[in-house]
Amino acid sequence: MTATRVRPVLVAAALLCLLAGLLQPLAAQRAQAPLPKVHFVATGGTISNKEGGRLTAEELSKSMPGVERYARLTHEQFTNVASSELTLSQWLALSKRVNEVFASDKALAGIVVTSGTDTLEETAFFLHLTVRDPRPVVVVGSMRNPSTVGYEGAANLLEGVRVAADPASRNKGALVVLNDEINSARNVTKSDALRLQTFRSRDYGQLGVVDRDRVVYFNQIVQRHNEQIEFDISKVTELPRVDVIMVYQGASGDLIKAAVDNGAKGIVFAVAGAGATSGTQNEGLAYAASKGVFIVTSTRTGSGRIAPPQQRPEGSGGGGGNSQMPPEQQRRRQFTIAGEDHTPIKARVVLMVALTKTTNRNELQRIFSEY
Ligand code: DGL
């Protein structure tokens, strides 16, 4: 080999050695990097509802074999009740607590909240709309209790911890993890009273899955979430009363009147199809409008969207713009908001949160269109 050929080889070898020297400490550093920190907040539900007494946050934390491979876990007991027993003031307190934990620990990767499954979608969506941080809040439950053969609570909780610890879970809103699936709190609903695969995101599909090797995402949520959220519940002490009333043939308007007279600030009206109401409820609706109570229309079909009136094509029925309409009907329109694609239960959560910020009809409609 000539001297001119040897020189580049030597230079390349020297460079390689230099690179290896630089990378070695980095690799060592990575090997020693501490595991992500995850905080676990237990609220109760079937996941903890053992015969003879409920499992505590500490017991649940110890129920996950191998958790130490994924995260450093801390825990707290928020409450220990069935999900449907959680009060609205507890919702506020829970959201404030989650925001506070995030604010006080910048090194935290995410938070896991356990909940009963019956109303889990409501609590999760409330957190989705009120936690303003890019880090994930992951709501987890189980369909079988710890005294049952096939209890899946520890597996779901471990998957929830893995999702909360994973950087890919940031900026995806609040997440619901059960049965190896990750769903957005915005879209998910309990679709079956008993089956393990009950949590479905209607036609939208799941965001991702928790597989043996890793957490995998396939979809992203496009509506406003995380730091894009405009609601600040830190000073809110009470959520406004919002009731859900259904449209069905021959339904009476009395229930609407009763809700109004008992202090409802809003009513979600679970309409038939794309907006049909029962004529027998008209009087009740006019009464609500006369008292300044907002009516949000949301389809009772389980999927589909109710569009704001101005976006309906002329002649499609259900009331396009019409300055000729009688004053009572005009007033009703001033207090009616289209619930977009939210189910009645989710529309209620949006309205409760939105009313903490504004009572302007157009603003409320904008909020429904953006969240
Ligand atoms: N199904 C449970 C829930 O959603 C209730 C069981 C319980 O914790 O008592 O909360």
Side-chain angles (χ1 to χ4, degrees):
M1 207 182 272
T2 65
T4 43
R5 277 194 193 151
V6 168
R7 207 170 298 135
V9 172
L10 284 176
V11 171
L15 278 174
L16 272 177
C17 287
L18 191 69
L19 200 63
L22 283 174
L23 288 180
Q24 211 173 5
L26 269 181
Q29 212 181 340
R30 186 168 298 170
Q32 284 162 17
L35 284 168
K37 276 169 83 177
V38 171
H39 188 62
F40 160 43
V41 182
T43 78
T46 299
I47 194 166
S48 61
N49 193 10
K50 197 173 152 202
E51 263 169 40
R54 288 176 185 270
L55 295 177
T56 62
E58 182 167 5
E59 287 168 320
L60 283 168
S61 297
K62 289 180 181 155
S63 72
M64 296 170 276
V67 68
E68 64 288 343
R69 283 192 282 132
Y70 300 102
R72 289 173 290 149
L73 197 62
T74 50
H75 62 264
E76 71 179 75
Q77 191 78 52
F78 178 82
T79 183
N80 210 342
V81 297
S83 60
S84 51
E85 284 172 23
L86 279 176
T87 63
L88 298 185
S89 30
Q90 281 177 311
W91 270 14
L92 278 173
L94 180 62
S95 176
K96 286 177 187 175
R97 178 68 189 138
V98 167
N99 276 306
E100 182 184 285
V101 171
F102 274 141
S104 66
D105 189 352
K106 294 291 172 205
L108 195 67
I111 295 178
V112 174
V113 175
T114 48
S115 164
T117 57
D118 290 341
T119 61
L120 181 149
E121 66 198 82
E122 298 173 51
T123 308
F125 190 41
F126 181 69
L127 294 173
H128 179 88
L129 291 177
T130 57
V131 175
R132 296 162 87 185
D133 196 284
R135 291 169 285 180
V137 183
V138 184
V139 186
V140 171
S142 76
M143 292 299 290
R144 295 177 178 154
N145 75 49
S147 310
T148 316
V149 176
Y151 170 64
E152 85 290 16
N156 288 348
L157 191 53
L158 180 58
E159 292 186 347
V161 171
R162 287 177 57 197
V163 170
D166 198 313
S169 305
R170 290 168 74 97
N171 281 312
K172 288 191 163 42
L175 302 167
V176 172
V177 172
L178 278 95
N179 204 36
D180 306 340
E181 293 174 349
I182 310 166
N183 282 283
S184 161
R186 180 190 188 274
N187 298 330
V188 79
T189 190
K190 188 175 188 181
S191 65
D192 189 290
L194 296 170
R195 303 282 80 83
L196 297 187
Q197 71 277 19
T198 179
F199 282 92
R200 320 297 315 164
S201 287
R202 305 187 282 157
D203 288 341
Y204 301 127
Q206 64 205 11
L207 288 185
V209 291
V210 190
D211 278 346
R212 213 148 28 132
D213 59 331
R214 68 183 177 100
V215 171
V216 192
Y217 285 99
F218 305 111
N219 288 312
Q220 175 63 293
I221 180 162
V222 295
Q223 292 82 9
R224 288 173 72 164
H225 58 276
N226 294 97
E227 286 162 304
Q228 301 156 347
I229 280 165
E230 66 197 274
F231 311 111
D232 178 5
I233 49 108
S234 62
K235 305 248 162 23
V236 176
T237 52
E238 198 181 359
L239 287 169
R241 173 170 168 170
V242 173
D243 290 308
V244 179
I245 293 178
M246 205 171 208
V247 170
Y248 43 90
Q249 290 187 344
S252 152
D254 293 357
L255 295 180
I256 301 171
K257 283 188 178 174
V260 171
D261 289 342
N262 282 287
K265 299 287 178 277
I267 291 169
V268 173
F269 204 37
V271 294
T277 59
S278 167
T280 47
Q281 288 166 306
N282 283 345
E283 214 183 303
L285 291 172
Y287 184 73
S290 74
K291 299 284 179 189
V293 172
F294 291 102
I295 302 282
V296 170
T297 52
S298 161
T299 182
R300 67 174 206 189
T301 58
S303 67
R305 173 171 171 260
I306 307 288
Q310 65 273 20
Q311 289 177 23
R312 285 183 188 157
E314 280 304 320
S316 67
N322 183 1
S323 54
Q324 304 305 313
M325 65 173 63
E328 189 189 281
Q329 211 175 327
Q330 276 187 33
R331 183 162 175 86
R332 252 177 71 178
R333 281 198 51 173
Q334 280 164 13
F335 285 91
T336 303
I337 295 147
E340 293 279 348
D341 65 327
H342 289 292
T343 60
I345 284 301
K346 296 287 179 76
R348 174 178 179 254
V349 182
V350 178
L351 188 56
M352 281 194 298
V353 173
L355 284 172
T356 65
K357 182 169 189 237
T358 181
T359 52
N360 176 289
R361 188 229 163 250
N362 292 342
E363 271 294 282
L364 290 169
Q365 184 61 73
R366 176 191 62 75
I367 287 168
F368 268 90
S369 302
E370 291 181 1
Y371 290 83

